[in-house]
Amino acid sequence: MKRLFVFVLFFGVFAQLSAQGRFTITGTTVDSLNNEKVMFVTIGLMKPDSTAQTVAHSLSDAQGVFQMSNVPAGEYRFVATLIGYEMVNMPFTVGGDSKTIDMGNIYMKKTSTDLDVVQIVGEKPLYMIDGEKTMYNVSEDPTIQSGTAADALQNAPGVEVDVDGNVTLRGVSSVEIWINNKPSNMNAEALKQFIQQMPAGSIEKIEVITNPSARYSAQGSGGIINIITTSKIKKNSFLSFGARGSSTPSITPFISYVYANDKFSISTYLNYSYGTDKNNSESFATILTDEGDTSTTIHSINKFRQRDHNFGLYINGSYTPDTMNSIYFWAGTYPSFGGYTYLDSTYYREYIYNPSDRSFFNDQAQSTVGGGGYGGMWYEHKFNSKGHKISADVSFWTWGRKQKGDAFRDYLFLDNLDKKQKLENHYRSLGLSASVDYTIPYHKNGEIELGVSGGYDPGLNYERYDTLVFSTGEYVLDELRFKDVRTRDGSVDAYVTLQHRFGGFTLKGGLRTEYEIYNLLVLNDPQYDVHKGYWGLYPSLHLSYRTKNMHNFKLSYTRRVSNPSADDLCTRIEYGEDGYSTGNPDLLQTFTNSIEAGWTKYINKFGNVGLNAWFKNSKNESSYQSDVAYNDFFGRYVTFTMPVNAGKSLNTGAELNVMYRLKAFMNIRFYANMYYMKSTFQFRKEETPYTVDNLGYSFRLNFWAKLWKVLEVNASANYTSKSVNMFTVTRPRYSIDAGLRAEFWKRRISVFVDVHDIFNWNRRGTDVNNPYYTSNSTTWSSWMGRSIRGGITFKFGKMELEGAQAQAQGGQGGQGMGM
């Protein structure tokens, strides 16, 4: 025992003496042109002799920070390298009284790359965690460069985009889309057009924030998806033009031009697209009375044909007079026109109230003219190079649509019910917003963020239906379905966050306050006006840890809210031909508490692995309930929808993301998501609440390879299991895609072709199992099913600028922009 004690004591003293002669080296890699932090810079200390032996190495993180530990005292060469930047190579002495040596900012100078230079693929991780963000580096993913923003979003962890352009995150639809760190402020239709047309090649990265901090809006429970299109540009210009098309059919010619020097840059993108969509669906439904007797059976076969002409002009620019001041501006417009035809054959049988065969044919056609625009300016001033800065921005957006058409319903056996109508609908919305953000470091490892923002969103919704009186040949206003509505929504928000880094840990806490006000004015029926305001406080706490071996860990808590809209609160009945919808003035706010944990690891010569888990608990969960009731206007049982507070719900799950590099130009990527959702809700006035649970999962498998230095091959398989929401079940979806991409003439010509849904499996199906209403429907769309897509692009100029071409379509030209 004495010998063991002496040995341990000797070993401990030796280790302590050895540690006293070693040092920790820290620093921050910074872009020399704009003072932005540079991530993934390889850092090394090498012996200055002929052996050039590496003594220590590191990799800068998302804040540009690097750290090398246990470095012996001595003379070394300090080296910093990253593709696209000049190598930093300088003598460096390790020693002195302090055991931690802070090198401060290491400035990285960008290099210029011509088209003639052979392309080099770096080892930058495709996915990584940066605090609360999970980042998908789109610019590093060769499999997606010929696709659209919708295709790129599909590869972001947890994100799904359906055929209509609707975006969900982990199965939740209340996700907020940001563009370059600011809310997009687009309405649903404009946002769909944006992500379905925007080239994936213009995106630098996509940040998925599943549990947003107080820095971001507390609205919704679906999280935030931030699309970053910006890329810092050196002197010179880049021109590209070409066309994309598909067998649906569709065609999109485009041209893009970028010019930049050391202080000024401007990017333009002009495109035209013609697209068609063929949509066929079939549905079966049964309506029961309160006593459980069959009241109605319905069988519908629908054919929908749409054609659209869309134009787009997008401009953005930046001016950086010095390293401390930056100005960005952006503007765009996207007019469109088109129309659709809708044919519906419905076999409709009424058994109890006025028993009869109410089968009919519907024939409807509409023409549409619409579009929108946006613009704004963002300014940032840096007080120093240590993170003390202030920024302000103002922006606007507008969108509108006019529709005119005719509709004719021809009853097979009840000629007296035949109806012919003229339709005229106007929709218009406008958004104005402004914000100020202030960041002040209180310590070299800590900072405080403060911000305030406000917005005002007026809108118009005008719907007119004129019905033909067959006996007179005149059209008269259908006052029951006529609607003339104005909306006046506004918001004032403020937040404060405090972040501190210690060792490999980063702790960020925050508090946000929001006041939202909703006004809905029904000009043709003022008794249904809505005036409502909501105020709340929303805390957040995020902890992340990163080891020197590139293990990334995160743990977070947030409280979020979902406010009922004015439309959801309005009790005016919206009558259709065979049913109706109404609002619910008793709707409450939905509050959600979220806890998340995650881990990622970037492994040299392998790739990266990521694992995330979450738990969400919601109170007063809001959902749209489909039900049936007897209605005096129709004189029978019909279906209706109404928003309700379903009760409480929980959502827990996990996701796995693996990217394996088989070779330098070959990789396999696998993403899997499994979740469990459970909700308890009260249905009608029944005493026993209903409980619905669902175990869902999805996966994506991607393969990519580059052959003979010019040909790229990619293939992917996708599967999403069924999902359940109250009484509605969405059936599984699955598909297999494959494609080729090649570059010629020293990369000045790029060509691609791919096949979407090779086996034509993709269908959209839903089933409703309400105790008093059952239905099932299946929909096929030309955009959803098998199609062949292709395109060609011609590129001229500095390859360094390719990352910026077409980025104007994203609506912004620099960090911090909004629409």
Side-chain angles (χ1 to χ4, degrees), residues 350-369:
E350 184 69 38
Y351 294 98
I352 297 179
Y353 297 94
N354 300 316
S356 58
D357 187 338
R358 303 174 63 91
S359 300
F360 58 83
F361 291 118
N362 259 342
D363 187 351
Q364 183 172 325
Q366 282 195 19
S367 61
T368 302
V369 176

Side-chain angles (χ1 to χ4, degrees), residues 127 134 171 182 263 293 304 326 362 453 507 523 559 571 586 627 645 699 719 811:
Y127 300 93
T134 299
K182 291 294 180 182
K263 293 185 177 182
D293 299 321
F304 177 85
S326 300
N362 259 342
S453 61
L507 180 64
L523 301 187
R559 179 173 171 82
T571 58
D586 299 323
D627 201 359
N645 287 118
F699 71 81
Y719 181 86

Side-chain angles (χ1 to χ4, degrees), residues 16-256:
Q16 181 67 24
L17 292 174
S18 298
Q20 290 179 356
R22 294 181 178 272
F23 298 80
T24 297
I25 314 299
T26 65
T28 305
T29 50
V30 179
D31 190 298
S32 63
L33 180 63
N34 51 54
N35 271 347
E36 297 290 339
K37 305 298 188 293
V38 182
M39 65 178 73
F40 304 122
V41 178
T42 301
I43 307 294
L45 284 179
M46 298 188 298
K47 291 185 177 181
D49 55 27
S50 59
T51 65
Q53 179 182 350
T54 300
V55 177
H57 65 88
S58 179
L59 195 69
S60 65
D61 62 18
Q63 285 80 37
V65 177
F66 63 86
Q67 178 177 308
M68 295 177 287
S69 303
N70 298 320
V71 179
E75 300 291 332
Y76 300 99
R77 300 293 301 180
F78 175 87
V79 178
T81 63
L82 178 67
I83 293 175
Y85 288 87
E86 296 179 2
M87 177 188 292
V88 175
N89 190 337
M90 62 184 182
F92 184 69
T93 301
V94 176
D97 296 331
S98 176
K99 298 305 178 183
T100 300
I101 302 175
D102 187 355
M103 299 183 65
N105 291 339
I106 305 299
Y107 289 98
M108 307 291 295
K109 184 178 180 181
K110 282 189 174 180
T111 59
S112 178
T113 307
D114 290 320
L115 279 165
D116 296 336
V117 178
V118 176
Q119 182 184 22
I120 301 175
V121 178
E123 290 292 321
K124 184 176 179 180
L126 206 58
Y127 300 93
M128 67 165 291
I129 289 178
D130 174 23
E132 63 192 304
K133 304 173 183 178
T134 299
M135 295 190 293
Y136 164 44
N137 293 304
V138 180
S139 60
E140 299 296 315
D141 187 355
T143 69
I144 207 69
Q145 296 306 306
S146 60
T148 66
D151 301 318
L153 284 168
Q154 294 278 25
N155 285 339
V159 180
E160 298 285 345
V161 183
D162 68 17
V163 66
D164 295 322
N166 300 302
V167 180
T168 59
L169 179 57
R170 292 176 176 169
V172 179
S173 59
S174 57
V175 62
E176 188 173 351
I177 305 296
W178 285 39
I179 309 293
N180 291 332
N181 304 315
K182 291 294 180 182
S184 65
N185 288 327
M186 294 183 185
N187 63 21
E189 291 301 320
L191 185 60
K192 291 176 186 179
Q193 181 180 339
F194 172 77
I195 65 174
Q196 289 174 335
Q197 291 194 49
M198 179 184 182
S202 67
I203 301 175
E204 180 182 339
K205 60 184 175 181
I206 295 173
E207 299 174 343
V208 178
I209 310 172
T210 53
N211 208 18
S213 69
R215 169 66 177 81
Y216 302 94
S217 170
Q219 297 294 316
S221 59
I224 292 173
I225 299 173
N226 187 20
I227 301 174
I228 303 295
T229 65
T230 58
S231 179
K232 298 300 178 182
I233 310 166
K234 281 174 65 71
K235 189 175 182 178
N236 231 303
S237 60
F238 185 87
L239 172 69
S240 68
F241 59 90
R244 302 185 301 273
S246 74
S247 61
T248 52
S250 68
I251 183 68
T252 303
F254 63 88
I255 184 170
S256 173

